[in-house]
Amino acid sequence: MSLEDDLRVVLSDRAAEPAPQPDLLESVRTGVRRDGRRRALLAGAAAALALVVAAAAPAVLSGRERRAAPAPAAGLVPPPWSVPGFPMRPSWAPGDLGSPEVVVLGPNTVLKYERDVEVLQAETGPIAPDWEVETTEEHAVDVGGRPATVRTADDYDGARPGDRFVGVRWRAAGGDWAQVVSLGTRTEDDVLRFARGLGPGTVAGRASVVAGLVPPGMVLQHHSEGSLCMAPPADVAANRQPYGLCIGVGGEPFEFPPSAEKVTVGGRPATYLAEGARLEVDLGGGRILDMSWDPEALPLTRQEAIRILEGVTIAN
């Protein structure tokens, strides 16, 4: 089965599920990683697509393990971005869902509250977001004087008794899409109160994976607390899914595929797959720091790839 087949299977299986997009993308990440290992073991790897996703993960390097950022190697520069924030601030949010996470999906930005199976999520940007589940009812409302559409469903995969899906979507005054979706016990009135309370301001994001060196001309394409992707600006504008050169943490045993070259990154054992365009570092404890990219779009040398990961730290 090819990488493309893996992705089709994952997306088909999850199309009707209610999990927000970052969770769907974690399944895509698993398929991509499985495909990369299969290609390595066959020692005939074609270039793997660099499609890696956000995964909430523990810190890669503790404070005492952090190293000073390395001096730029040839062709590498400090990242031209900072930790992104959500470009609106809610005047009200349910207190029982805790602090939100800010996620970047291409040109769109997500503000996500989640606890157990309860989710409340806002998204804004030029690309229309997904509704996340198959809805059964639709009606018109207004949000801040803008015409909006509400969609609801009394059942969805993973719903508990009494859970309900509610989503509302509208175009903001500047032309961007805005959407709020809820999975769980929130009522339509709760969702509309949250949506109508989104106003001027910013909600600060947090970061765990922090890059110290990146290829020139790259901008942030995907970001969550546990991973990031970077790509040329034109690709960022067109792709809501994580794409480009991606760095993240996975909870898989570290292995040495026959076709991989054994290297070290920051003194840790690592494997470098030239044909598969992948670098994996053993973090211990069943965790891997990995980086993947499209070698045709971004022809990194082995040393450049190693220097990029040597510049990565995790902020506690």
Side-chain angles (χ1 to χ4, degrees):
M1 184 179 288
S2 68
L3 172 59
E4 292 76 15
D5 291 334
D6 272 341
L7 298 182
R8 277 194 294 271
V9 169
V10 169
L11 294 174
S12 176
D13 288 346
R14 297 296 299 275
E17 292 191 14
Q21 197 67 25
D23 181 64
L24 170 61
L25 296 176
E26 171 60 16
S27 293
V28 177
R29 175 189 177 101
T30 301
V32 174
R33 184 186 295 278
R34 183 172 59 249
D35 183 85
R37 292 187 180 281
R38 180 187 303 118
R39 295 184 183 196
L41 290 170
L42 292 175
L49 293 176
L51 183 61
V52 183
V53 303
V60 174
L61 299 177
S62 68
R64 65 176 178 272
E65 291 180 297
R66 291 180 196 154
R67 300 173 299 278
L76 300 179
V77 298
W81 63 78
S82 56
V83 177
F86 188 73
M88 293 187 282
R89 176 173 289 278
S91 62
W92 172 85
D96 57 345
L97 291 184
S99 299
E101 177 184 8
V102 176
V103 178
V104 173
L105 297 175
N108 287 15
T109 310
V110 174
L111 183 68
K112 176 185 173 186
Y113 297 80
E114 181 174 13
R115 177 163 292 170
D116 298 326
V117 296
E118 296 267 352
V119 175
L120 180 65
Q121 176 173 299
E123 181 171 346
T124 185
I127 298 178
D130 297 327
W131 283 109
E132 308 292 357
V133 304
E134 184 176 349
T135 57
T136 55
E137 191 273 342
E138 178 179 313
H139 58 273
V141 296
D142 78 272
V143 175
R146 310 290 298 180
T149 299
V150 171
R151 288 191 179 184
T152 63
D154 293 328
D155 191 26
Y156 51 85
D157 288 349
R160 304 161 302 182
D163 281 351
R164 192 166 188 249
F165 168 83
V166 180
V168 56
R169 179 187 292 173
W170 69 100
R171 278 194 182 270
D176 279 353
W177 290 100
Q179 178 173 290
V180 174
V181 299
S182 171
L183 301 160
T185 58
R186 310 288 159 224
T187 66
E188 181 176 326
D189 287 343
D190 290 334
V191 173
L192 290 176
R193 179 183 178 186
F194 178 79
R196 288 166 176 158
L198 291 171
T202 301
V203 178
R206 302 184 297 271
S208 292
V209 175
V210 179
L213 293 173
V214 302
M218 306 290 269
V219 296
L220 191 64
Q221 193 276 338
H222 167 78
H223 185 273
S224 70
E225 291 184 30
S227 66
L228 61 88
C229 294
M230 61 196 82
D235 292 334
V236 173
N239 289 280
R240 184 173 173 270
Q241 307 301 333
Y243 172 85
L245 186 153
C246 298
I247 301 170
V249 177
E252 297 184 23
F254 183 69
E255 299 174 354
F256 285 107
S259 61
E261 179 182 352
K262 295 182 179 181
V263 296
T264 60
V265 174
R268 295 179 179 271
T271 60
Y272 173 68
L273 296 166
E275 292 182 338
R278 193 176 199 91
L279 183 61
E280 295 188 344
V281 184
D282 184 10
L283 300 176
R287 294 183 300 131
I288 294 173
L289 173 65
D290 74 271
M291 182 174 75
S292 62
W293 64 99
D294 181 346
E296 294 185 1
L298 185 63
L300 291 178
T301 66
R302 179 183 62 179
Q303 186 58 32
E304 286 172 332
I306 290 173
R307 292 300 300 278
I308 290 171
L309 279 194
E310 284 183 336
V312 171
T313 59
I314 295 299
N316 292 325

